[in-house]
Amino acid sequence: MLETAAVPDFLYGTAWKEERTAALVELAVRSGFRAIDTANQRRHYFEAGVGEALAALYRAGVIRREHLFLQTKFTYVDGQDHRLPYDPEASLSTQVAQSMASSLEHLGTPWVDSYVLHGPASGMGWSKADMEVWAAMRKERDAGRAKVLGVSNVSLRHLLQMEAVEEEMPRFVQNRCFVRTDWDRDVREFCAARGMVYQGFSLLTANMGVLGHPLVTSVAARERATPAQVVFRFARALGMLPLTGTSDEGHMREDLDCSRVEMSGDEVRILEGLAG
Ligand SMILES: NC(=O)c1ccc[n+]([C@@H]2O[C@H](COP(=O)([O-])OP(=O)(O)OC[C@H]3O[C@@H](n4cnc5c(N)ncnc54)[C@H](OP(=O)(O)O)[C@@H]3O)[C@@H](O)[C@H]2O)c1
């Protein structure tokens, strides 16, 4: 049976934080984030630093493991540098098992809430390699080491091909979300039609022009909010689970507080179709 773990409101992203990872994750949880996104990809993430922060938070009695949502990823060798969490000569199934074991050790937990394929092996479609990896990820989930599974950096084509050959679809899809693609409308609609949850990243950095758009600035002024809060609130109104990787304590609080921003259905529709 497909277990449906609770879906958080916001994900705190831990990419590109290097030696600041532990301090920033600790700050994020102390600021109110309850869901963390990481990856066993040392090139962009310091997963052990996330684990260090969690251990400190548990020790200080700030939070218990079961009240957190932890998400990590399996990354193919092509997306890694030399600091690999598995034997590159081993089969893909073994690489998934080794990467998961290493993630659990880094994070100091017997399970993660969500385990995500960082990106398919090819931009062209869902491949044999992806099928092997997905089967191995399902095995990890069935063994209790992950509650649900996800995929990232996928196109509609990947998802349609995946659906044609796989018995099981992901609970989460995590993609970079550009206004110029109507905020990844085709993938979002695919997910919505199947009860899958779309996670959007780079909502601010991929859409800098939107932050200065008159509709966004006028909603921000009316709601005494920042343009960034309006964008995150809008993303939630579209049914997205947004990610933020802010390193700023004030922004952490602002991002979590975006739910207080009120937007009409018309405002949401106009922003959704901004690309024209
Ligand atoms: N699956 C994938 O391949 C993939 C790829 C990229 C990212 N991700 C995930 O997504 C997370 C977020 O990454 P991202 O690409 O969205 O970029 P990000 O790391 O969240 O960067 C956001 C940028 O916007 C700035 N900012 C300004 N005002 C802000 C506000 N109120 N709230 C938040 N940020 C504000 C931040 O600066 P300040 O720090 O000064 O606030 C920062 O420079 C990553 O950490 C990672 O977990 C996944």
Side-chain angles (χ1 to χ4, degrees):
M1 193 185 80
L2 181 69
E3 190 178 348
T4 49
V7 177
D9 290 340
F10 226 125
L11 273 167
Y12 184 69
T14 61
W16 313 301
K17 296 183 168 50
E18 290 298 322
E19 73 288 349
R20 295 176 72 206
T21 302
L24 287 168
V25 169
E26 198 171 335
L27 184 62
V29 173
R30 286 182 182 273
S31 299
F33 283 94
R34 291 293 174 263
I36 311 287
D37 175 79
T38 187
N40 207 344
Q41 180 204 33
R42 190 61 192 85
R43 181 177 173 189
H44 294 305
Y45 296 79
F46 183 22
E47 197 182 45
V50 176
E52 209 182 291
L54 298 176
L57 289 159
Y58 302 151
R59 266 197 314 275
V62 174
I63 189 99
R64 296 220 308 261
R65 165 67 187 92
E66 52 273 32
H67 297 141
L68 284 173
F69 176 100
L70 301 181
Q71 173 169 280
T72 192
K73 311 184 192 86
F74 170 78
T75 312
Y76 280 112
V77 74
D78 284 354
Q80 304 269 8
D81 62 14
H82 61 285
R83 294 165 292 180
L84 292 166
Y86 46 70
D87 173 4
E89 303 302 326
S91 68
L92 288 169
S93 313
T94 303
Q95 288 179 24
V96 170
Q98 290 177 348
S99 191
M100 173 61 105
S102 157
S103 284
L104 298 182
E105 194 183 326
H106 286 158
L107 296 171
T109 180
W111 86 96
V112 290
D113 296 273
S114 167
Y115 198 45
V116 172
L117 172 57
H118 209 153
S122 153
M124 302 306 292
W126 191 251
S127 63
K128 283 227 162 60
D130 300 323
M131 290 173 70
E132 181 178 346
V133 165
W134 190 243
M137 288 173 64
R138 289 179 62 189
K139 217 168 130 193
E140 294 299 314
R141 192 272 321 276
D142 291 345
R145 290 186 281 275
K147 288 209 169 141
V148 299
L149 302 178
V151 294
S152 182
N153 298 302
V154 286
S155 62
L156 180 61
R157 182 187 166 103
H158 284 119
L159 291 169
L160 288 169
Q161 291 182 359
M162 185 180 188
E163 190 170 54
V165 296
E166 301 290 357
E167 280 168 37
E168 187 181 322
M169 291 300 279
R171 175 78 176 122
F172 292 115
V173 169
Q174 183 184 101
N175 268 2
R176 181 167 276 122
C177 194
F178 293 98
V179 63
R180 67 164 184 267
T181 59
D182 283 346
W183 310 89
D184 213 4
R185 189 194 292 268
D186 54 0
V187 172
R188 284 191 294 111
E189 287 182 352
F190 178 96
C191 292
R194 290 156 182 81
M196 293 155 53
V197 176
Y198 181 96
Q199 302 180 1
F201 63 86
S202 301
L203 284 160
L204 304 182
T205 48
N207 306 299
M208 295 309 276
V210 171
L211 298 172
H213 188 277
L215 177 59
V216 172
T217 53
S218 69
V219 173
R222 184 188 71 212
E223 298 295 317
R224 296 177 188 282
T226 64
Q229 284 179 303
V230 174
V231 170
F232 286 131
R233 175 65 184 85
F234 157 74
R236 298 265 295 272
L238 291 184
M240 258 186 235
L241 165 53
L243 286 103
T244 176
T246 179
S247 300
D248 180 280
E249 187 173 5
H251 288 162
M252 289 181 187
R253 292 186 195 283
E254 274 175 24
D255 295 353
L256 287 169
D257 198 35
C258 74
S259 48
R260 71 167 181 78
V261 174
E262 294 198 8
M263 292 179 81
S264 69
D266 279 348
E267 287 168 341
V268 172
R269 270 187 295 279
I270 295 168
L271 261 185
E272 188 178 14
L274 218 54

